[in-house]
Amino acid sequence: ALPIDEMDIRTPFGTTHVTVSGPKGAPPLVLLHGYMATAMMWALNVGHFSQRHRVYAIDTMGQPGKSIPNEPLSSADDYVAWLSATLDALYLDRVNLAGQSFGGWLALKYAIAAPERVQTLTLLSAGGILPISMQFRLRGMLMLFVPARFTVKSFWLWSGFRSAPADIEHWRVMDLLYLGIKHFRMAPPTLRIAAAPVSDDELRTMRMPVLFVMGKNEVLYDAADALARARRLVPDFQGELIPHCSHDMCASRYRTVDALVLEFLAKKHPQRTVEGQTEAPCVSPSLS
């Protein structure tokens, strides 16, 4: 089993739960999960990522998981301030930042707002490049307002999650998603935050290396159009379309995704030991 530490980091926004793995002193890689999914979403990916990086999988504040807010986050600016406070508490100055789906939108907004904190940016099936499709929004709303196993499974299957190389973990994540939607009540101000597209000017200002990976059959929005827009506007950009997958990409094609991410990070931020890096103390003991 992969050795991990679990940390509960105190910030002005509440207690942020972080799962940490990988060698101390390795380049930091921060992971932001998809909507309502919790850091468990990265179960299939973190083993590969942790071989070369110190990986911090964060439970997004205000969503299901172990992070506990003091008060509701009500805007993208709140999320930016929360993530800065979390990185400060972890003693992380500049990081490799990666996000999937809604977490990709958060990562994108953070990289635009605080570029000095982001060494590289990895966007996986990420929101924020084009408007989300009407069908995706309607099916997502049905799942949220009718939180039954049937509606969650229906959304899951429609968005591409039919089979995966590791089916047990794959369906555990779906079960966790269902339990979060069923039993967790997101605060109304947080619920109203939408993953709206960023502007052309915002994309042009980005100077860190950006990797954008999408499944060719993506249902969030048209993947080819999204890559074309990002490639046209982002100065240091690498885009990849993975065939035979949709929003399930990080699970069903996780070996391909992980290899692309690690190759990108090795090229843009070579492996090196970080001298003198201090880390926040763990609240929970290491698990194995």
Side-chain angles (χ1 to χ4, degrees), residues 2-11 14-22 28-33 38-40 42 46 50 54-61 63-68 82-92 95-98 277 279-287:
L2 177 70
I4 66 170
D5 293 323
E6 293 189 64
M7 297 180 176
D8 290 300
I9 305 300
R10 293 181 178 87
T11 76
T15 302
T16 302
H17 188 79
V18 187
T19 302
V20 188
S21 57
L29 173 60
V30 173
L31 305 178
L32 300 176
H33 61 76
T38 82
M40 177 67 181
W42 300 105
V46 73
S50 296
R54 186 68 166 167
V55 178
Y56 301 82
I58 299 177
D59 275 340
T60 299
M61 188 68 76
Q63 297 198 13
K66 296 181 180 180
S67 293
I68 303 172
W82 159 73
L83 186 53
S84 284
T86 299
L87 297 181
D88 288 345
L90 289 166
Y91 303 106
L92 296 175
V95 300
N96 299 288
L97 184 61
Q277 178 171 294
E279 198 170 75
C282 298
V283 173
S284 302
S286 182
L287 304 176

Side-chain angles (χ1 to χ4, degrees), residues 83 209 232 244:
L83 186 53
R232 176 169 55 87
H244 312 303

Side-chain angles (χ1 to χ4, degrees), residues 116-183:
E116 72 282 357
R117 306 294 298 266
V118 180
Q119 181 80 20
T120 66
L121 178 65
T122 298
L123 305 174
L124 305 170
S125 304
I129 304 299
L130 294 178
I132 295 172
S133 73
M134 180 61 71
Q135 188 169 185
F136 191 98
R137 285 187 286 155
L138 290 175
R139 286 177 176 268
M141 288 171 61
L142 177 64
M143 182 175 62
L144 289 173
F145 292 117
V146 186
R149 284 190 184 274
F150 171 77
T151 56
V152 174
K153 186 175 181 180
S154 175
F155 180 86
W156 196 251
L157 293 173
W158 170 79
S159 60
F161 290 87
R162 292 177 177 83
S163 62
D167 284 320
I168 293 176
E169 291 295 340
H170 183 64
W171 291 101
R172 279 178 179 167
V173 173
M174 191 204 77
D175 212 42
L176 192 62
L177 179 66
Y178 160 70
L179 292 172
I181 290 171
K182 176 74 173 177
H183 298 290

Side-chain angles (χ1 to χ4, degrees), residues 20 24 36 53 76-77 88 108 111 116 127 151-152 165 177 180 188 202-203 219 226 232 234 239 245 254 264 279 284:
V20 188
K24 291 184 177 180
M36 304 289 283
H53 295 82
D77 289 343
D88 288 345
L108 179 61
E116 72 282 357
T151 56
V152 174
L177 179 66
E202 287 175 316
L203 290 175
V219 293
R232 176 169 55 87
V234 177
C245 61
Y254 74 96
F264 168 74
E279 198 170 75
S284 302

